Amino acid sequence: MELGSEFDLDVNKLNYTDLNLFKKLDGMNYELYSSGRAAIRAVNKNVKGKVLLPEYICGSVIDCFEKEDLIFYRIKADFQIDYDDLKTKLNEDVKCIVIVHYFGAYHSIDQLMKIKQNAIENQTIIIEDITQSLFSNIEFIGDYVVSSIRKWLPIPNGGLLIRRLEEKSFYCTYDESTDNERVSGMILKNLFLNKHLDCNNEYREIFTRCEERIDNDKKIRRISDFSKFIISCQNIDDIIKIRKRNYYYLKEQLQKIGIIPACDIQKDACPLTLPIRVADRDEFRAYLMEHRIYCAVHWPFDGVNEMDRPMGKENAENLISLPIDQRYGYEELEYMASVISAYRGNMYVKNSR
């Protein structure tokens, strides 16, 4: 049994469904890119001035902007925006505010509308990053809404941009993304998990190379046709149902041993993962890996403006994301809960709230 890490792909199970992501996006003014960061770069071509970012954010998003333009606003321990801090840093020099929704949860609409009003008064655009809350019932306030799709679906590449301003489309001048190597890694992983093909090292090396390629690629690329086809075969209603079921089941199992999620999600939210805070996070993560449970860290600290980002740094040191996605059922979740219960290291879960 193996949990977490990259998605695998069984091409024999790809069948078109009307309940796919494109149906969810029907009627919206959207474009598809090779990644979420490519979508942000497409927007950023029109942004000239200071950028207000949450202190807790992925380094790949930071890299989409010029370092000298960055200002960070505070995020509370429950991942809500510190509105008072944001308001003090918003002025006429700030041309863009980036808002991030975390782990499937979303910010309160009252708070978002206050930020929206402040942005209008300062003639500031809002980029709303819903990568971690793509399938949650969010009332968007951003002028641009962006997301990485491949965090949710078994696709080699994919990013979403929803444009809510009345303007011309962004025309992408670069070639379509055709990351065939990642597809081969996803297929090899499926063969390893289901057909017992001895290719574990091979697909892991492929995924590592592909991530390095994405990190180093500054071009704005379109999504591949194969990724669009895979998206058309994914039943979003089923995915949401399974993820919510898995989240609440694992949450119940962990509460029995005194572990609570790092944040609460709303009833109509679809979780990306189940995040927890752990004192000796790196040791705990290594223990899970020994039991073939591979957990993401959202996100390693990038070192940018460290003094202005205390909660960003704390989260980078203590948070770990437990996988609860549509690949898994009760058997896998019970296995994960039993492995965590048997851990004999320092399992003091920090709760800063």
Side-chain angles (χ1 to χ4, degrees), residues 36-256:
R37 69 194 74 175
I40 292 175
R41 287 195 176 99
V43 177
N44 192 36
K45 291 177 71 173
N46 294 336
V47 175
K48 305 296 180 184
K50 297 295 183 181
V51 179
L52 197 51
L53 292 164
E55 62 171 307
Y56 179 49
I57 194 167
C58 179
S60 66
V61 176
I62 291 176
D63 289 342
C64 293
F65 303 95
E66 298 296 331
K67 294 294 191 295
E68 60 268 22
D69 291 335
L70 302 180
I71 304 171
F72 292 93
Y73 63 87
R74 297 291 177 89
I75 294 293
K76 298 179 181 179
D78 62 356
F79 303 98
Q80 290 296 307
I81 295 170
D82 187 332
Y83 172 73
D84 292 335
D85 184 70
L86 183 151
K87 188 176 180 180
T88 64
K89 295 172 179 176
L90 180 59
N91 55 52
E92 61 184 14
D93 294 328
V94 175
K95 300 304 179 184
C96 176
I97 303 172
V98 176
I99 293 173
V100 178
H101 300 276
Y102 299 100
F103 301 112
Y106 49 87
H107 301 297
S108 73
I109 188 60
D110 290 342
Q111 187 177 67
L112 291 176
M113 290 308 297
K114 288 193 294 184
I115 296 172
K116 179 68 173 179
Q117 184 58 42
N118 294 150
I120 292 172
E121 292 170 358
N122 287 274
Q123 297 184 316
T124 303
I125 68 166
I126 295 176
I127 300 176
E128 196 166 1
D129 188 336
I130 61 168
T131 292
Q132 295 197 14
S133 301
L134 177 60
F135 298 140
S136 295
N137 189 21
I138 299 174
E139 187 172 343
F140 304 140
I141 57 100
D143 302 298
Y144 304 96
V145 179
V146 299
S147 177
S148 172
I149 307 172
R150 66 187 184 91
K151 304 294 190 298
W152 296 86
L153 304 176
I155 54 176
N157 55 70
L160 171 67
L161 168 62
I162 302 172
R163 294 183 296 103
R164 290 160 54 79
L165 292 177
E166 294 297 328
E167 62 183 7
K168 293 181 179 179
S169 296
F170 297 122
Y171 289 102
C172 181
T173 58
Y174 296 109
D175 291 337
E176 174 185 282
S177 173
T178 54
D179 196 346
N180 296 323
E181 188 175 22
R182 186 182 290 275
V183 173
S184 66
M186 295 166 69
I187 293 173
L188 284 176
K189 180 173 182 179
N190 181 266
L191 293 174
F192 170 77
L193 294 175
N194 299 301
K195 302 297 183 181
H196 308 295
L197 181 67
D198 186 14
C199 57
N200 187 29
N201 291 334
E202 285 80 1
Y203 76 73
R204 292 190 184 282
E205 290 174 1
I206 288 173
F207 290 148
T208 298
R209 285 197 300 271
C210 290
E211 278 303 306
E212 291 174 351
R213 190 176 301 131
I214 290 177
D215 289 340
N216 295 325
D217 187 5
K218 306 303 181 184
K219 293 184 177 180
I220 304 171
R221 300 184 186 275
R222 290 186 292 267
I223 192 172
S224 69
D225 286 338
F226 189 50
S227 284
K228 287 193 288 186
F229 170 69
I230 298 173
I231 291 172
S232 72
C233 297
Q234 307 298 311
N235 187 314
I236 301 305
D237 288 354
D238 286 347
I239 288 171
I240 293 172
K241 180 179 179 180
I242 294 170
R243 281 178 172 269
K244 291 175 74 171
R245 179 202 69 192
N246 288 351
Y247 176 90
Y248 287 109
Y249 182 77
L250 182 60
K251 176 182 177 181
E252 180 182 355
Q253 300 307 306
L254 294 180
Q255 285 177 331
K256 295 176 181 178

Side-chain angles (χ1 to χ4, degrees), residues 251-261 276-277 340-341 347-351:
K251 176 182 177 181
E252 180 182 355
Q253 300 307 306
L254 294 180
Q255 285 177 331
K256 295 176 181 178
I257 54 176
I259 299 174
I260 61 172
I276 61 174
R277 286 190 169 96
I340 293 173
S341 179
M347 197 57 205
Y348 167 62
V349 181
K350 299 188 73 173
N351 184 3

